[in-house]
Amino acid sequence: MGELGGKKDDLTDDTVLKSARTRCYKARDDYYHCLDSRGIELSANDPVPEVCAKQRKDFEASCKASWVKHFDATRDRELGVLRTLKSNINASEKTSVGTLAGKDQRD
């Protein structure tokens, strides 16, 4: 691949690769935005809600399967971290005596 007869192969042309990545990223962002705007948190193995099915189909059509798997796994990890943080914040709010602002210390 690469140079064939002094001309770049279309399969490795940087502009082709860049446009494919750009299309993939846009489809990914559209799909995750669809989920986020509706407050839907799903793991990679959950069924896709009907309301976001078109965006998911575009995502899978625009990206390599390995990329889709990677992006879904990354999102799962990020959502897991956010759930843990929210849980920890809620637990600390229930057990804390005051607020972070607290009482004015100049008294």
Side-chain angles (χ1 to χ4, degrees):
M1 287 198 201
E3 297 281 327
L4 293 177
K7 208 168 123 180
K8 272 196 167 187
D9 185 347
D10 284 340
L11 295 176
T12 58
D13 185 1
D14 291 343
T15 56
V16 171
L17 295 175
K18 183 177 180 182
S19 66
R21 277 194 313 273
T22 301
R23 196 170 43 253
C24 173
Y25 295 155
K26 182 180 181 335
R28 174 202 62 191
D29 294 346
D30 289 347
Y31 172 61
Y32 292 146
H33 176 73
C34 180
L35 297 174
D36 292 341
S37 66
R38 291 163 176 80
I40 301 170
E41 291 184 8
L42 21 123
S43 67
N45 298 325
D46 291 341
V48 176
E50 187 63 35
V51 70
C52 298
K54 180 192 177 304
Q55 289 85 350
R56 178 64 187 202
K57 185 177 178 183
D58 292 345
F59 175 36
E60 290 175 348
S62 299
C63 301
K64 293 180 177 183
S66 61
W67 288 26
V68 171
K69 184 177 178 181
H70 166 75
F71 291 140
D72 284 344
T74 299
R75 182 174 168 86
D76 278 352
R77 282 190 304 277
E78 290 171 352
L79 289 175
V81 168
L82 287 175
R83 280 191 292 271
T84 300
L85 289 173
K86 286 177 186 176
S87 174
N88 290 345
I89 289 169
N90 288 337
S92 69
E93 286 176 349
K94 290 177 185 175
T95 60
S96 62
V97 175
T99 66
L100 291 177
K103 183 179 167 189
D104 188 357
Q105 300 298 314
R106 293 178 280 181
D107 288 341

